[in-house]
Structure formats: C-alpha cells, structure tokens
C-alpha cells in the first residue's frame, strides 16, 4: 500500500500463474485503499486474452457518468482520456486492470492516462507473465506465489469447517492442503466438495491429487470438484458457461435459454420451474467455487483458469465442444473437427468463409458471436447437414436474410439473436418445434406474421428492440402455449389494424412470466386478470419507458402504474403480490392500507393528490406496516399531511433503508415519535425536499433511532428552521448520527441552526445584543461525517461555536463546500470570552500555539459568500495562524468579494502545515483580493525549507505539492506575496507546479521576476502548461532588471559558446490570448522568444490577439531558439495585427520546425529556407495575399514538410493559384517514384495525407501545375480518405483521366459543393477504389457523376462493383442527366443485379435506379435535379407525380427498396 502513495510510481505489476490469487489480491487492494481513503475513485476492469476495448471503455464511462457520442474505439479512447485528465486535476484515481495477456497501450486503446504527467493516476495490473509486466513498464513488479502453510490451512478450514480438526481427518486434511501447493483456486475447488462428506471421499481426493507441478495440481483439483457435482444437470450447466467469451459477464437468463434448448431441465413441467431450477444450479456452482459472483444482478462470472478447464472437459469424451475464434475455425475446417462435435462457439472478428454445407450431423448447439454488427452472409445450404441442431445463438451480427436451409432445422428448440440487425426473417415460421425465440437488443422493425405458425413456442423475448413497430395480432393470439412473453420495448399496442392489442394477452392462458409496457391504462381490458404470474415487469402509463435497473433488482414482480381512474381488478391483483410498486397520478388512492403486503420491497408513490395520510390506522387496531419494505419514495403530492395517522406496531418499517420525501407542501412532520410507533434503525438514506410546511426534520427522540443513517439531503423547504427540534441538557457531546457520512443542506432560506435551543428567549436576547448563534452547537458530534455541503442558507452567520471540540465533532471531515450563504461572515469567533477547546500543536522555536486542526479535510470550496472575510471573526485573511489543514489538497474560492488575502502570518507552522499537500489552488471573482499570501513582518520566515541559490540562503514560502494554479477575474491582484505588479518573486516556490492559468488578472505586469534567484527557478522545473488570457497590463512573462542573465537550470552550448538561459524544461503548452501590451516573454523588444529563454519540450503554441508582437522567434542561428522548436507540434497565430514574420532571421540558414500550423500571414508561406519534418496539420484561414503554399519543390527542405502531413485545410485564401508552385521544367520526385504502366514518372507524394478541405478558393486552378484539373498524374495521396471541396470556381474536373488508382486508393468520402465549372465527379480509373459516401451540391454544370466512356467494355464491367457505397446525395444539379455517362448501356447485366433488381429487365432502367439499391446500403438523397428525377419517375410509371416527387407516396414508389429521397 505504501507504493500506491509514491508519486513517482504510475503503474504497478502483479504476476503469477493462473489461480494463484491475483484477482483476489486486486480486490483486497481496492478494499484497503478505500478504507484508507488513498484514492477518490476506483475502477476495476478485466482485459482478457482477446480484449474488448469498447466494453472496458463503456464500463469506465458508466462509472464516471460519461455518455459516448463517438463511434470508433479510438475516438472513445480520446474522449475518455480527456475526461479522466480533467478529473485528475482534483481527484486521485486507481485503475485495477486484471488479466493482461500482452502489451497494451492503455492510454491509446482504452483512454487511461498514466505516467509522470498524471501523478494522480495509478494503475495496478495483473498478468500471468512477468515479461508482460515489463513490457507494460511496470515499476515495481510483484510475484504472487500462493499462500503459506498457515494461510492455506486457514482457507481450507474456513470452507470445510471444524471437522478438519478431528483426529481421523486432520492428517488427511493436511495432506490435501499440501497437495494444493498454496493455490487458493485449487484449495477452494477441493474443499467445497468435501463439506459434509464421509472420510472415504477425503481419501479419494488424496488419491486423485497426483500432480507434479502447480498447473497439474490446479487441473486435478478442478477435476475433483467437477466430478463431485451431484445435482442433475449441474455439469452440463457448468460446461455451457465456457461457451461465453473469456471474462464476460454471463446472464443467468442466457444460460437458462441455452440450457432449456440443449435438453436440460427435462424434469420440470413449466417454464417457471425451469427458470427456478436454473437459478438453483447457478447457486450450486457458485457454492462449489466453479462460478463467481458478478457486480451485476442476475449474472455470474467464470474464472479464466476454470474456463480453460471447462473447455478442455467439454472438448473430450461425448461432449466434443469446440470453442474459439476465426483462427481456430480455419484449423477446425482443415481437421474436419466439425463432423463429431456437439457444440460450437465461434467468436468472429473477421468474417470467415463458411463451407457451402457445414457437415455437422451431431451438432446440437451453435453459438456465433460477431463484432459491431458486422455483415454476415451464410451460404444457403449451410444448415443442410445439421439435423440435430437444438440451439442456435447469434450475437452482434447483421443479416439481410436467413439462409434457405434454415427451414431444415427441424430439431431446433432455441433460437436467440442478441444485438443483431435483422431484415427478412420470415423463414423462422418454418421452425415448427421451436420453443424459445429471443430478440434481445436487436434492430428489428416488425415481427413476421409467419411466427404465428410456431404453436409450440413457450418463450418469446423482444427486450430492448427499440425500433419495433409491428407485432401482428395473430402472432400473439396463436401462441397459445406461450409461458413467457418479454416485450417491454414495444409500445404500439392497437396502433393500426394489424398490431396486437392488450386484449390478445387473454388468449395466453399458460402465461407465468410477462414483461410489457402499456402506454395508456385505457388499453387494459376491465376483465384482464393474471392469476398465475410468478415473474412480471408491467408498466401502465406513458411515464415508464425507461428501466431503473437498480429498482428492478429488488424483485422479480414489478408493477408501474399511472392511471387517473379507479384501479381495475387486474391491477389490484398485481398490487397485492408485487415486490416493487410505482404508482403515479391516480386520484383513486386514499391510503396504502390495502396494499400493506409483507412481500413489498420498494414502494414509490407520486402525484396521488387525494391522499392525505399514506397509512391510516385510526379505524383499526395497531398494525405492522410494511415489515420488509426497503425503499419508500413519496413525491409530488399536494395534500399529504402525515406519513401515518394512528398507531403502528414497533416492527413497522423495520427494514426501511431509504426514505425520499419530495414535493409535499402540506407535510407537517417527517415522522411522529418513531420510538413508540415504528423502528427506523436501519434507515441509511434520507432525502427531503420541497416540503414547505416543515419547521424541523427530526425530533430529538427520533434522532436516537437513526443509528445507521449515512446520507442526509434536505433542500428547498421554505419554512424549515432547524434540522433537529429540541436540545438535550448538559454540555457534553452526543453522537446523534454515529454513521452519518454525507450532509447536504441546500436552498433553506429560514434555516438558522442544526438543533433548536430550549431557551428561545435567551436566543432572541443574544440576537438582539449582536451575539451570533452558531449553526452547530457543542452538543452534536458527527464522528464519521466526510462530506458537508451547504448552499443558499440565508440564516447561517457562523458555523461552529467556539466551545466545539473538532477532534470529537468532525474528525473525518474530507470535503467542505459552502455556497451562496449570504449572511455568513466567518466560521467561528475565537475572540469570545467562552472557554475555548483546541488541540495543542507544537510550533517553531519551542513555543506552543493554540490551534484548531482539520486533520482529514482535503477539499474546501467557498463560493458566493458576499460578506465572508475569514475563518475566524476579526481575521484579515481567510486562514491565519490559528487554523491548520494538514491534508488539504484542493482550495477553490469564487465570488468572495471581501477577501483580501488567503493566508496571513506565514512565519508560524500552522499556515505552513496547510500548504504541505495542497495540489490545486483555484481563485476567481474575488474583487478585493490583493495578495494570496500577506506578510506584514520585515522578515519572511521559511515556511517549509530553505533553498540554496548560489552561495546565498534565501528564505521562501514553499508549496511543495501544488500542481495547478487557476486565477481568474481578479482585478486587484498585484502579486502572490508582498510585491506589486509581479505575481511570483523569489520569496515563493512551487517545485511541483504543472499548470498555471491566469485569466483577467488586470493589474499584473509580470509573472516571474528576478530570475537569477534559485527559488523562482524551482517553480519552472515541472511547469507543463502556461495559459494567460485577458491580462491587459502584462508586459513580460519574465521581468529581469539585471544586466546579466544568469543560467537558471543549465547551460546550452551553441556554436561553441556558453550562453546563460532561463529554461522551462517541461513546458509543453503556451497559450497567450488577448494580451494587448505583451511585447516579449523576457525582454521588451517586440520579439516573443529570443536567445535568453528555452523551451526544449514545447509542443503547442497559441497566440491570439497579441497586438504588439512583431516576431515570434529571433536570432535563429543561435542554439537556444532551435531548442524551442525541436518538439513543436502545433502553432496557432491569430489576430496579431503587427506580426511581420514568424521567424526573423538575417542569415540564410534553414531552420527545422515541426507541427500543426494555423497562420493568417502574408506573402509566400513556405520556401526552401524552412522545413517542417513532422508537420501533421496545416490550416490556412483568410491569408489573402497568399499565392502558393509551397514553392521550389525540387529543393529538399520543402519536400520534408510533406512527409508526415495528415490534414490540409485551406479556406478563404482569395489569391491562391496553386498549392504547389514549380517553375522548373522537370518535376522532381519528392518522396518516391510510382511505377505507372511500366514507366517511372516523378510525382509529388504526400504519403500520410488523409484529409483535404478546400473552400472559397476562387482563383485556385490546380494543386500542382495544372489548369482546371485539381489533381493530375503528377501528384499522389495514397492515404487520402476524405476530400471536401467548396466554391472552387476555376476547377472543371477533380482528377485527370490519366490519374492512377494507386495514387488515390483509399478515398472513402467525397463532398463537393458550389463548384460552378465542374463537369463530372469520379473519373473512370477511380470507380474501383471503394468510395463509401458521395455528396454533390449546387454544381450547376455537372451532367453525370461517373464517367465510363473512356473505358473498354471489360474495364467498365470491372468498375461497377459498388458494394462499398453507403450514401449518395445529389442536390441542386440542374444539368444532371445520368448517374453514368451514355456509354453505360453496353455493360453486362450481372453487374447491375447484386440485390433487389432481379425483376428489372431493362438495362437502362437498372442504370437509373442502381443507386437506389447499391447492395441495399443506407441512403440515397437526390434533390433539385429535375432531369434525372423525370427519368426515374417515368421508369416507375408515376409520370403524373413528377411535379410532386417530394410527397411520401412518390418517394416510396421511386425507392421501392426502402431508400427515401
């Protein structure tokens, strides 16, 4: 655990063989780190041998509340990394990564940042190999070698029991434990079967454990445990688990469906008993240590070692299971392994070539799992030889239609589709023996009518099929044997004449499990009553289309009901047996007496306006009310006055854990005397809001019952004056809330104190005399309170009484957040005459100082406190010498206008103690703040340590851990400590500072001063980011008045000379924005960077609105300036009005630069004198005098700038003629030569260029030396994927006819807009390159999109393979006549009939509507192109609707295959 606290450690490796306990160790690390509060958040993920990075990303995103809009894993990783980086600014995060099999870049693949730049992030990973830990850069690494003898014996004894100590068994038990080699997995595997077994079984165990090494021991132990599975079907259920991917959470319902189809549970007569049997078997396997608990309700996990064992067992003997990926699939085909197997589980990353007939006469179960709904085309006869197939499961696959041989699966009992995109599935109706049919998370729009033929169907699932619109009524009515129906995502009941109605459910007399969502209670027939349901999730009303998984985990009987009428008989029946009830909006419910069920676990009541009392026992004897209820929420009920009226017995609400009361304006009391009427001793969460008649929350008697209360939130109660009504006699503390961890009080305008006073007259007198009543008196203690949040409480003027003893009252407080407390002036009055109780903390110079210390407080946030001045009354700074925060990590101060200083009197240890662990300091909108640290003494005392500078000793105030400083909108801040105009001088140091952000610090003239002193240099060593915005008076970042610049960190040799430098060794990002008076970084000469400063790791430089800047770099022939450029990745310069040159250099030396450039400059941008060997992005916006981007390309420097260019954006450059201008007669090969038809031709190649975006280039004639043709055969972009062009008025064609396919082989997206002279889009040679998206808008001269007339017939046929095209949009092309040019009619028919056009005999017609099918791809949009529309409409016999083609019917006629124009 000590290593986790080491700031220099980022990733820790744990390795050892499978089953040795690595995962258990990770869980223990998580538990202990949580108890010690070493981290703010924990993330535990499993990688596995075939990692699913998107699943890992989603799990982390769910924990931090991040919703992805990105589609690709790479984009998700970047988004997740950004969010985690933001979190690391104020939190420490621990990532526990289990089961790493090979080297993985966790930052790029997943999005988990780590390393020296992310000190708040720690990773602990486990692997079976030390080499993997080394490859991952783990330091340190630890080997897990198993338990020692005592630990192993303790584990075995803990499972088997005290019987191991008996004389006849102890020696055998010792031998068994010794055979297990200290491996927890092996010990658990043998111990569980031996529980309550005779001595002979123990002796058998000894005889079977013969392994010579640990791996064989584990295998033998697992075999022993497997052999001793005695329950029927337990072994089969265990083996089914190995069919799921490694480390996947296994849903018990999925297991049940596979098992039922595979022939398990044959002794059960109903589906409900079979489900129960599945639950029993899973519990049995968990108790045998063969399955593991999962965090998700209703699911389990299988250890990877146990899964390997299960696969080996399932692959031998009579089972013959084959489990693997598409690589194993190839071996299976080669070895003819299919002929004897009974079950196959295949994970498909790359769609394999399935055999035309899959000869598997013994196959009973087939499980296919794809990825990202990839298309899967199965041969039509693939199922022809699978006569015995009983179970077929497909996951994450896209299928346009099912193979014809599907109808040959006469033995099929279970058919499951998960996360599949399905179109034509009507052939399922031929599977007459099917019993289970599941569509879970599938993209399916309608259920085929043919399913009504499945009269043997017992289970139909349509869970989370969000696009489902049609379920034919005949389907529901004819499935008379249905026992389970799951269709909560379907809401179109009785919509249209063919859709099912709720009344159809009456035909299902065998139904025992039902999940439905009915949008309106009127759809529920009066005589519909379910008397046999044992499992149900029924929602009635339009408010319940979302599922609360946490809510649903409480019971398998859930009813959500929204109705304005009296409950129907069917509803009353369900209300009496439900475990979770959610009722909303009914006026017929007067109280809950009738539904006082002992089975009820969760009750939510909303908007039942006729209810005055939730429970009314005045007309009956005292009752035991809701004895097992765990959650009670009552919300938005205008007339509710009391939760109960009358007498309740003590057992009432005995299990209540959570109580939420919201929007109850007439509620008078939260609870009445619970000691007499009910017990709330198990209540953990209490939320009260918008209860405007409440004057208090608890009575003192009630509070004594709340011994388990952990969270309390009270908000928006207008009349609330106290939390507790009543005050006990005496002066001692009382732990009224011994377990309270979180206290939130918000928007309570009349709240004065936490506990009321017995002597109201005395209170009034005190207020009249000016003596403030503190919010907490000295009688209340919160021994475990960690989070305290107060907001918008006008009555609070002082927080604590001066008598309070912090070590007893708030010893665990970690977070203090106070906002919008308009009358708060201070926390306590230390000048009171009352007897003050404080801890005594040793101080410097052997003196003693009275000190109040918050030992655990890590986060302080003070916001919108208009009259607040200091912690204690009369103080001149927020913190003085009488208070200390040794654990403080983050301090945020915002809108505290009377604050003048944060720390004062820094010569004593108390204030220094508060600085030791401070990581983040954020101060904003504090109008009168002058200094962060104010010291009035003549001598500045060393707060933490002394730093030696040269031969002198300087006394400094050190913030040793501070990493981030954010100062924003501080109009009067002049310095950090005791200087004017300069933020940091030699008296303060920040050795860990990484980010410095200054926004709107208007009186600041310099950031650093007197850089020849050592302290200031210490603050620069780790600085990573410098962001200065809207600092009007800033002249220099560093101001040095001395004649000689002193070397701060090191000396850099340049041309044989030694020059003193100010070095920022770690600085990577500089952003200067709106600094009108900034003239330089270090010397006032109009040049930002000269030879006196160096940034060896600078990667990103942004300059916006730095109006006095003339040059960015100067004197480039010196070594220091070069150092600034070596790692530069991004350079953005905008609105710098006086900028003449980026680099001002009088010599002819070529300078190397690298990175992304965004420069609105003048003249020729890049000539042979500069080079950018790492340039990835080039953006030019509004460079109005630019004629060429590159010139003289036969020189080496310019070509170097193209090597790594990925993105090229040129916009609004009116005078640009060519991107590359070459005046020489000979075109020189820039990066290489491409062989074209046997010849070698010099071309300009951008090998990495992926994206080109040109817009508003009205004078552009070509990319390179052409006239009207954008790209000719002299340029090649083999990696180009996206081409976006807009308003290029002098371009007539995009590619010349001579361009080679190899030069543009990766183009996927083409967008062309507003090119007035353009005639055609895609030339003949590029028709085969796999274009996916084409958009053409407002190009008035375009007559055809694709040109074939220059190709021979055989070339034309080869060109028409449009299987990649997904989207074609044509808009505003008045001259467009043809998709292809006129010569297309000679092309062979077979290229036009891939899908959907088999009945179209006319070739010309096929030419016109080819793009309507395009292999049934996604979209076709053709607008404002009347010529082509006229032809299409005529061919579809709707000539009379030519003028109204925008109407729905015309569009459907025009696109009969589902594509809308």
């Amino acid at each position: 655990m000590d290593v986790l606290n080491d700031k220099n450690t980022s990733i820790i490796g744990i390795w050892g063989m499978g089953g040795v306990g690595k995962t258990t160790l990770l869980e223990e690390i998580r538990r202990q780190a949580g108890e010690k509060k070493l981290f703010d958040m924990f993330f535990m993920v499993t990688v596995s041998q075939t990692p699913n990075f998107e699943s890992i990303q989603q799990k982390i995103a769910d924990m931090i509340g991040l919703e992805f809009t990105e589609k690709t894993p790479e984009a998700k990783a970047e988004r997740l990394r950004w969010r985690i980086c933001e979190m690391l600014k104020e939190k420490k995060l621990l990532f526990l990564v289990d089961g790493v099999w090979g080297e993985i870049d966790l930052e790029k693949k997943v999005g988990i940042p780590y390393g020296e730049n992310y000190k708040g992030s720690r990773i602990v990973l486990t692997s079976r190999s030390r080499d993997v830990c080394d490859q991952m850069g783990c330091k340190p690494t630890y080997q897990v070698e198993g338990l020692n003898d005592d630990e192993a014996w303790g584990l075995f004894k803990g499972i088997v029991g005290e019987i191991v100590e008996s004389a006849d068994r102890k020696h055998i038990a010792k031998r068994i434990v010794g055979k297990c080699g200290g491996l927890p997995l092996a010990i658990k595997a043998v111990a569980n079967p031996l529980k309550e077994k005779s001595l002979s079984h123990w002796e058998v165990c000894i005889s079977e454990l013969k392994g010579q090494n640990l791996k064989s021991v584990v295998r033998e132990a697992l075999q022993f445990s497997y052999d001793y599975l005695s329950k029927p079907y337990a072994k089969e259920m265990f083996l089914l688990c190995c069919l799921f991917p490694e480390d996947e959470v296994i849903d018990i319902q999925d297991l049940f469906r596979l098992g039922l189809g595979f022939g398990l549970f044959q002794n059960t007569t109903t589906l409900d008993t079979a489900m129960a049997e599945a639950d029993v078997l899973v519990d049995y396997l968990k108790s045998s240590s063969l399955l593991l608990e999962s965090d998700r309700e209703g699911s389990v996990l299988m250890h990877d070692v146990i899964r390997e064992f299960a696969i080996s067992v399932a692959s031998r003997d009579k089972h013959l299971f084959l489990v693997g990926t598409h690589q194993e699939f190839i071996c299976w085909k080669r070895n003819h392994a299919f002929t004897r197997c009974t079950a196959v589980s295949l994970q498909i990353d790359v769609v394999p070539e399935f055999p035309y007939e899959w000869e598997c006469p013994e196959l009973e179960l087939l499980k296919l799992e794809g990825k990202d709904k990839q298309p899967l085309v199965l041969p039509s006869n693939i199922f022809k030889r699978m006569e015995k197939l009983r179970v077929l499961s497909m996951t994450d696959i896209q299928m346009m239609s099912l193979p014809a041989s599907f109808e040959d699966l006469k033995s099929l009992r279970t058919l499951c589709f998960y996360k599949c995109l399905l179109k034509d599935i009507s052939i399922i109706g031929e599977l007459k023996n099917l019993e289970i049919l599941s569509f879970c998370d599938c993209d399916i729009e309608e259920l085929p009518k043919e399913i009504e033929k499945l009269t043997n169907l017992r289970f139909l699932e349509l869970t989370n099929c969000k696009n489902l619109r049609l379920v034919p009524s005949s389907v529901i009515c004819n499935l008379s044997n249905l026992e389970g129906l799951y269709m909560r995502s379907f809401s179109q009941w009785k919509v249209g004449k063919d859709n099912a109605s709720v009344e159809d459910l009456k035909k299902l007399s065998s139904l025992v499990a039902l999940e439905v969502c009915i949008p309106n209670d009127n759809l529920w027939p009066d005589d519909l009553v379910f008397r046999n349901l044992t499992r149900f999730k029924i929602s009635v009303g339009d408010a319940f289309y979302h599922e609360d998984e946490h809510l649903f985990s409480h019971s398998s009987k859930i009813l959500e009901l929204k109705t304005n009428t009296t409950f129907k008989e069917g509803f009353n029946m369900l209300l009496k047996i439900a475990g979770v009830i959610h009722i909303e909006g009914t006026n017929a419910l007067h109280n809950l007496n009738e539904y006082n069920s002992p089975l009820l676990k969760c009750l939510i009541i909303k908007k039942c306006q006729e209810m005055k009392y939730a429970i009314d026992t005045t007309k009956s004897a005292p009752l035991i009310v809701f004895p097992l209820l765990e959650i009670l929420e009552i919300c938005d009920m205008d007339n509710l006055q009391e939760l109960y009226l009358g007498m309740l017995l003590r057992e009432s609400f005995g299990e209540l854990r959570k109580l939420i009361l919201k929007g109850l304006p007439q509620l008078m009391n939260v609870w009445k005397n619970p000691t007499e009427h009910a017990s709330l001793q198990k209540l953990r969460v209490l939320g009260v809001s918008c209860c405007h008649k409440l004057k208090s929350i608890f009575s003192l008697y009630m509070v004594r019952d709340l011994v388990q209360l952990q969270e309390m939130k009270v908000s928006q109660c207008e009349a609330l004056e106290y939390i507790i009504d009543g005050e006990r006699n005496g002066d001692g503390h009382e732990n009224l809330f011994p377990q309270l961890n979180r206290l939130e009080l918000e928007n309570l305008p009349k709240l004065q104190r936490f506990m009321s006073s017995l002597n109201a007259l005395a209170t009034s007198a005190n207020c009249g005399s000016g003596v403030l009543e503190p919010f907490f008196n000295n009688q209340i203690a919160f021994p475990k309170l960690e989070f305290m949040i107060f907001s918008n409480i006008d009555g609070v003027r002082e927080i604590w009484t001066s008598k309070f003893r912090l070590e007893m009252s708030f010893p665990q407080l970690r977070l203090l957040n106070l906002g919008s407390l308009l009358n708060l002036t201070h926390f306590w009055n230390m000048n009171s005459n009352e007897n003050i109780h404080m801890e005594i903390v040793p101080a410097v110079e052997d003196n003693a100082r009275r000190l109040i210390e918050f030992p655990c407080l890590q986060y302080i946030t003070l916001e919108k406190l208009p009259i607040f001045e200091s912690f204690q009354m009369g103080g001149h700074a927020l913190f003085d010498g009488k208070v200390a925060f040794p654990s403080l990590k983050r301090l945020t101060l915002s809108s505290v206008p009377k604050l003048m200083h944060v720390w004062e009197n820094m010569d004593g240890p108390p204030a220094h103690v508060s600085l030791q662990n401070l990581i983040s300091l954020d101060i904003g909108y504090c109008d009168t703040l002058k200094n962060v640290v104010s010291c009035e003494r003549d001598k500045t005392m060393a707060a933490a340590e002394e730093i030696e500078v040269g031969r002198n000793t300087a006394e400094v105030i050190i913030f040793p851990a501070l990493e981030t400083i954010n100062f924003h909108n501080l109009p009067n801040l002049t310095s950090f400590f005791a200087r004017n105009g300069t933020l940091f001088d030699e008296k303060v140091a920040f050795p860990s500072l990484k980010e410095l952000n200054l926004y709107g610090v208007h009186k600041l003239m310099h950031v650093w001063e007197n850089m020849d002193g050592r302290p200031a240099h210490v603050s620069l060593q780790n600085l990573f980011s410098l962001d200065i915005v809207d600092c009007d008076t800033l002249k220099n970042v560093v101001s040095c008045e001395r004649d000689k610049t002193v070397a701060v960190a090191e000396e850099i040799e340049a041309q044989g000379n030694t020059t003193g430098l100010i070095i920022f060794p770690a600085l990577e990002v500089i952003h200067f924005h709106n600094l009108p008076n900034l003239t330089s970084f270090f010397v006032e000469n109009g040049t930002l960077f000269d030879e006196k400063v160096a940034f060896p790791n600078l990667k990103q430089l942004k300059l916006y609105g730095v109006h006095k800047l003339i040059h960015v770099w100067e004197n480039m022939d010196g070594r220091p300036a070069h150092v600034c450029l070596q790692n530069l990745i991004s350079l953005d310069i905008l609105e710098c009005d006086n900028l003449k040159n980026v680099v001002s250099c009088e010599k002819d030396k070529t300078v190397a630069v690298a990175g992304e450039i965004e420069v609105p400059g003048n003249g020729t941008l890049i000539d042979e004198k500069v080079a950018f060997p790492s340039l990835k992005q080039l953006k030019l916006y509004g460079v109005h005098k630019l004629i060429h981007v590159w010139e003289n390309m036969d020189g080496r420097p310019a070509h170097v700038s193209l090597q790594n260019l990925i993105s090229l954006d040129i916009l609004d450059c009116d005078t640009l003629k060519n991107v590359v201008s070459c005046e020489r007669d000979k075109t020189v090969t820039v990066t290489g030569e491409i062989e074209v038809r046997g010849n070698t031709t010099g071309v300009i190649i951008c090998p990495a260029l992926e994206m080109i975006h040109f817009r508003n280039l009205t004078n552009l004639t070509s990319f390179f030396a052409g006239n009207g043709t954008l790209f000719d055969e002299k340029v090649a972009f083999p990696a180009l994927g996206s081409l976006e062009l807009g308003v290029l008025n002098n371009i007539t064609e995009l590619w010349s006819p001579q361009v080679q396919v190899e030069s543009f082989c990766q183009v996927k997206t083409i967008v062309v807009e507003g090119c007035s002279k353009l005639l055609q889009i895609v030339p003949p040679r590029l028709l085969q390159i796999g274009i996916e998206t084409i958009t053409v808008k407002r190009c008035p001269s375009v007559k055809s999109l694709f040109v074939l007339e220059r190709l021979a017939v055989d070339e034309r046929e080869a060109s028409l393979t449009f299987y990649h095209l997904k989207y074609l949009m044509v808009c505003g092309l008045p001259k467009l006549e043809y998709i292809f040019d006129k010569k297309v009619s000679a092309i062979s028919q077979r290229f036009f009939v891939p899908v959907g056009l088999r009945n179209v005999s006319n070739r010309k017609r096929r030419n016109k509507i080819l793009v309507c099918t395009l292999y049934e791809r996604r979209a076709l949009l053709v607008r404002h192109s009347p010529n082509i529309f006229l032809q299409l409409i005529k061919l579809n016999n709707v000539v009379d609707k030519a003028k109204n083609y925008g109407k729905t019917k015309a569009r459907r006629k025009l696109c009969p295959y589902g594509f809308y124009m």
Side-chain angles (χ1 to χ4, degrees), residues 701-964:
Y701 301 102
M702 178 183 176
V703 168
R704 293 193 175 101
D705 248 5
L706 303 177
V707 292
Q708 296 295 325
L709 190 66
Q710 298 175 5
E711 296 183 21
M712 177 166 54
K713 180 175 181 179
V714 184
S715 64
Q716 295 180 295
C717 297
E718 296 177 354
L720 193 73
E721 297 179 2
Y722 315 104
I723 302 299
I724 301 175
D725 184 11
E727 183 177 279
R728 61 184 291 275
N729 294 321
D731 295 328
H733 287 73
E734 182 175 2
N735 294 341
L736 297 178
F737 298 98
Q739 300 296 325
L740 190 65
N741 178 264
R742 187 180 189 92
L743 175 62
E744 294 187 42
L745 305 176
E746 298 178 353
N747 297 304
L748 305 171
K750 292 187 178 181
L751 185 65
Q752 300 176 22
R753 289 181 298 283
F754 194 82
M755 178 182 285
S756 66
S757 172
L758 289 175
N759 192 341
L761 294 176
T763 301
S764 300
N766 286 338
C767 293
S769 63
V771 178
L772 299 179
E773 284 289 327
F775 187 76
F776 295 111
N777 61 24
N778 63 328
Q779 296 182 337
I780 306 173
F782 303 94
K784 293 191 176 181
L785 187 68
E786 296 185 21
F787 305 94
M788 189 166 78
I789 301 170
F790 291 177
S791 175
N792 285 295
I793 308 176
D794 298 343
V796 176
R797 300 185 179 187
E798 183 177 290
I799 302 295
W800 287 289
T801 174
S802 56
K803 288 184 176 181
F804 91 109
R805 298 188 62 181
L806 185 65
E807 72 279 9
M808 296 179 62
S809 301
F810 296 85
Q812 300 295 323
L813 190 63
R814 294 179 60 208
L815 180 146
L816 178 62
N817 189 330
L818 305 179
S820 299
L821 306 183
L822 302 183
N823 293 303
L824 183 69
T825 59
H826 54 273
F827 284 2
W828 62 77
N829 182 4
M830 295 292 288
N831 299 320
S832 171
N833 294 326
E834 301 176 33
N835 188 23
I836 300 174
H837 300 272
M838 293 174 294
E839 297 183 32
I840 303 299
V841 177
V844 293
E845 300 178 359
D846 297 324
N847 293 324
R849 158 168 283 175
R850 295 184 303 175
L851 177 66
I852 291 181
E853 182 176 291
F854 291 79
C856 298
L857 191 58
Q858 298 179 10
Y859 307 100
I860 297 177
T861 299
L862 306 179
E863 296 179 303
K864 297 181 180 178
L865 308 179
I867 64 174
F868 183 82
E869 296 181 357
S870 65
F871 248 67
Q872 70 152 326
M873 187 174 183
H876 299 289
L878 180 63
F879 308 125
D880 61 8
K882 295 181 180 181
V883 61
F885 310 94
S887 301
L888 186 63
K889 293 181 179 180
R890 180 179 177 86
L891 175 61
T892 301
L893 306 173
S894 178
S895 299
V896 189
K898 288 199 172 184
L899 187 66
M900 298 182 67
H901 313 290
V902 180
W903 283 278
E904 187 179 24
N905 194 17
M906 294 295 291
D907 59 336
H912 147 62
V913 171
S914 303
L915 311 182
Q916 290 299 308
N917 295 294
L918 189 66
I919 295 175
S920 174
L921 177 61
D922 192 333
I923 307 176
Y925 299 97
C926 297
D927 297 341
T928 61
L929 187 73
K930 294 182 178 180
N931 310 99
V932 178
V933 178
S934 174
C935 183
E936 298 177 358
R937 307 202 176 193
D938 293 334
K939 183 179 180 181
T940 303
M941 303 297 295
E945 59 179 304
E946 294 180 340
I947 298 180
E948 184 177 355
V949 181
R951 297 181 180 179
N952 300 321
T953 299
E955 297 161 341
V956 295
I957 297 170
I958 300 179
F959 292 74
L962 189 61
E963 296 180 359
T964 303

Side-chain angles (χ1 to χ4, degrees), residues 46-52 98-101 128 241-250 301-305 307-308 311 323 347 369:
T46 303
V47 175
S48 79
Q49 194 168 3
T50 55
N52 185 338
D98 195 21
V100 180
W101 286 77
R128 296 189 185 183
C241 293
C242 77
L243 299 176
F244 293 85
E246 181 185 352
D247 295 315
E248 181 175 286
V249 176
I250 302 171
L301 294 167
M302 177 175 265
H303 194 286
D304 55 352
V305 174
R307 180 175 180 269
E308 292 171 4
I311 291 174
V323 182
Q347 298 175 47
E369 184 156 348

Side-chain angles (χ1 to χ4, degrees), residues 91 208 293 371 464 469 585 642 680 703 1098 1118 1275 1325:
K91 294 183 179 181
E208 292 189 4
E293 289 280 0
K371 186 178 182 182
N464 206 27
R469 296 292 178 265
E642 301 283 355
L680 296 180
V703 168
L1098 186 64
V1275 294
R1325 298 186 184 278

Side-chain angles (χ1 to χ4, degrees), residues 38 245 459 466 478 519 523 547 593 658 706 717 898 958 1029 1047 1065 1173 1192 1216 1220 1262 1274 1318 1443:
L38 300 181
F459 182 96
K466 297 179 180 179
N478 287 317
L523 296 173
E547 294 189 359
N593 293 20
K658 181 178 180 180
L706 303 177
C717 297
K898 288 199 172 184
I958 300 179
V1029 179
N1192 193 18
L1216 186 72
V1220 177
S1262 68
K1274 298 294 185 180
L1318 191 65
K1443 296 182 180 180

